[in-house]
Amino acid sequence: MSGGVGPTAGGGITLPSMGAPPPPLHPTPTSPTARPHHHYYLFSIKQLNTLGAAAVLAFSTTVPLSDVAFAVLLLPYLLLLARLAFPQRPGKPNPAAPVFPGAGGRLTLAVHTAVGFVVGAALPALYILDGLRAGDTAGVAAAAPHAFLLSAQVFTEGIAAAWPGTFSLPVRAAVPVMYSARRMFAASEWLREELQERDDLGRGPPVPQRRVVAGRALAAANLAFWGFNLFAFLLPFYLPRALRRYYLGSDHEDDGGAHAHLKQQQQPQDEGKKDS
């Protein structure tokens, strides 16, 4: 017998030996490439709500086909990135680990996420529902593309988070970057349509003044917030840090640790040059 397992007297059935414990039914995910059971995340209430909102907006004819095609084609593009450009291999950092470790970084990111939810999701949803009640079809059509892109982003981020063994950290970081860039165009178009529709009083039924102010304020706030999110946070800080962690090492490696890691790799090369 070998490995603690062998045939019994009855033939075909094998039993583990008394000295070795039986193997676990599900291996413990100790490496970034382990496949834990995260698929339930796709069927959480948050994921189902965002998928339902995106589907309703997509079939309501208020979202341009270009935005729907962007959300649909982004999924196979992320798979290509995960397979060809940034594969999740053994030794790569865990993509589920926070990009900004520490209490201060987590608190700042939580506040930033909460503000983004209120400005980008909660208030526009109330504005769209109020527009449906008031019959403001122009205001609903102007705000719908932005709401659709944000719902599609949340669902796509959930797909990437459900398979950490497939989607590496740079691929997951690319999702908010690409959606934020696309949403900048949607927010600017939203503001332009709000200004035109509200200034031209001859178009459609009269709109209450509160919706005029709310529509312009929401469009301007979303344009400003997501512009700041893209150009002042994602591009200069979040994406470079994700790439640095992916190429240089561990999950909690700071800038000093990254430089030390590079020095350790360069020392054998320098010693070889001196010996020669």
Side-chain angles (χ1 to χ4, degrees), residues 2-273:
S2 61
V5 179
T8 60
I13 301 177
T14 59
L15 295 174
S17 65
M18 298 300 294
L25 295 178
H26 302 292
T28 304
T30 57
S31 66
T33 56
R35 296 296 300 274
H37 294 273
H38 288 300
H39 297 279
Y40 68 89
Y41 187 86
L42 287 176
F43 303 101
S44 64
I45 297 179
K46 178 181 178 181
Q47 289 301 108
L48 291 177
N49 286 339
T50 54
L51 178 61
V56 169
L57 291 171
F59 286 101
S60 65
T61 68
T62 57
V63 179
L65 291 178
S66 58
D67 290 336
V68 178
F70 174 83
V72 173
L73 296 178
L74 187 62
L75 292 174
Y77 178 70
L78 292 176
L79 287 174
L80 288 177
L81 286 181
R83 296 295 183 184
L84 302 178
F86 305 103
Q88 183 62 28
R89 297 171 178 170
K92 292 297 183 180
N94 184 4
V99 177
F100 297 95
R106 288 194 297 269
L107 178 60
T108 303
L109 190 60
V111 172
H112 180 79
T113 304
V115 174
F117 170 77
V118 173
V119 175
L123 293 180
L126 293 176
Y127 177 75
I128 291 175
L129 292 176
D130 182 73
L132 294 175
R133 183 188 64 82
D136 183 14
T137 56
V140 173
H146 164 80
F148 168 79
L149 289 173
L150 188 60
S151 300
Q153 175 184 340
V154 175
F155 180 73
T156 306
E157 289 178 345
I159 291 178
W163 283 282
T166 300
F167 296 99
S168 61
L169 185 57
V171 179
R172 294 180 63 174
V175 176
V177 171
M178 289 187 285
Y179 267 106
S180 295
R182 182 74 183 184
R183 201 159 46 248
M184 288 292 296
F185 295 97
S188 60
E189 183 66 18
W190 180 12
L191 181 59
R192 186 186 68 82
E193 291 183 4
E194 287 286 348
L195 294 174
Q196 288 183 354
E197 293 292 341
R198 287 355 182 226
D199 289 340
D200 190 359
L201 298 179
R203 295 183 180 180
V207 180
Q209 185 63 26
R210 60 179 179 82
R211 286 197 57 82
V212 174
V213 176
R216 293 176 178 178
L218 273 178
N222 277 278
L223 183 61
F225 178 82
W226 297 112
F228 174 84
N229 179 67
L230 178 62
F231 296 109
F233 174 66
L234 292 177
L235 291 179
F237 296 105
Y238 184 74
L239 185 60
R241 191 177 183 91
L243 291 172
R244 184 168 61 246
R245 273 186 49 199
Y246 177 80
Y247 283 113
L248 294 184
S250 63
D251 296 331
H252 303 288
E253 191 174 57
D254 54 8
D255 293 336
H259 290 301
H261 183 73
L262 287 177
K263 289 181 179 179
Q264 290 178 359
Q265 291 182 344
Q266 291 175 356
Q267 281 180 357
Q269 298 178 359
D270 296 338
E271 291 179 357
K273 291 180 181 180

